[in-house]
Amino acid sequence: MKVTVSRKAHFNAAHRLYRKDWTDTENEAVFGKCANPHYHGHNYELIVHVKGSIDPQTGYVMDMKLLKDLIKVEVEDRMDHKNLNEEVHEFIDLIPTAENMAVVIYNLLKPHLNKEHELSVTLYETPRNYVTFQG
Ligand code: NI
């Protein structure tokens, strides 16, 4: 029997979606407002899902305090109030779309979970646009 536990988190960050090898016009045609050379911010909502068996001793799939602290250290401390393109090294050569961010966040969290835990990351870039990565 597997149960999914989830933790919500929040961070603000700035980004710019563009390719260095494209002109500003080409970038704007593909990425629209998100190509703004002066950057812009989003209020990101993150939901981290961990699926696993209930530990018969504790009744927990995992200790939510540990999950909370893990998200803080691995995601919030790295990304909150940062310029993703300039300050988060994963995005120096990777466009910080919500898709790529979900994969980066997954890869930051996964090594810290038990091997038998299944991880899924949902990232809201706006209240209506969100992406999910399950590994
Ligand atoms: Ni944007």
Side-chain angles (χ1 to χ4, degrees), residues 16 18-24 26-27 31 95:
R16 181 189 177 200
Y18 74 111
R19 293 189 58 90
K20 291 168 188 163
D21 55 334
W22 289 358
T23 65
D24 283 354
E26 288 172 320
N27 276 304
F31 297 114
I95 302 173

Side-chain angles (χ1 to χ4, degrees), residues 15 17 34 40 42 125:
H15 74 173
L17 304 185
C34 278
H40 63 278
H42 289 284
E125 189 171 75

Side-chain angles (χ1 to χ4, degrees), residues 14 20 23 30 77 99 122 133:
K20 291 168 188 163
T23 65
V30 172
D77 289 354
E99 291 89 330
T122 298
F133 182 59

Side-chain angles (χ1 to χ4, degrees), residues 14-135:
H15 74 173
R16 181 189 177 200
L17 304 185
Y18 74 111
R19 293 189 58 90
K20 291 168 188 163
D21 55 334
W22 289 358
T23 65
D24 283 354
T25 309
E26 288 172 320
N27 276 304
E28 202 184 328
V30 172
F31 297 114
K33 286 182 180 175
C34 278
N36 178 359
H38 302 290
Y39 300 94
H40 63 278
H42 289 284
N43 297 315
Y44 290 97
E45 292 284 348
L46 173 66
I47 308 175
V48 176
H49 308 277
V50 177
K51 185 175 175 183
S53 304
I54 298 175
D55 182 328
Q57 279 198 307
T58 62
Y60 288 163
V61 170
M62 80 172 283
D63 184 337
M64 294 302 271
K65 172 74 164 61
L66 294 179
L67 185 57
K68 175 190 174 187
D69 292 346
L70 183 60
I71 294 167
K72 181 179 185 303
V73 169
E74 295 298 329
V75 182
E76 293 169 36
D77 289 354
R78 282 172 204 259
M79 299 187 189
D80 189 35
H81 285 73
K82 297 291 170 64
N83 178 320
L84 298 173
N85 303 75
E86 301 281 337
E87 296 179 275
V88 179
H89 76 86
E90 284 85 356
F91 300 115
I92 298 296
D93 291 310
L94 183 67
I95 302 173
T97 58
E99 291 89 330
N100 282 333
M101 289 174 69
V103 174
V104 165
I105 291 168
Y106 179 100
N107 288 332
L108 290 170
L109 297 175
K110 190 73 172 79
H112 301 282
L113 298 175
N114 291 347
K115 296 263 183 296
E116 63 269 22
H117 281 158
E118 293 170 43
L119 174 64
S120 165
V121 167
T122 298
L123 183 69
Y124 283 76
E125 189 171 75
T126 73
R128 292 172 190 277
N129 292 345
Y130 61 97
V131 305
T132 299
F133 182 59
Q134 321 192 59

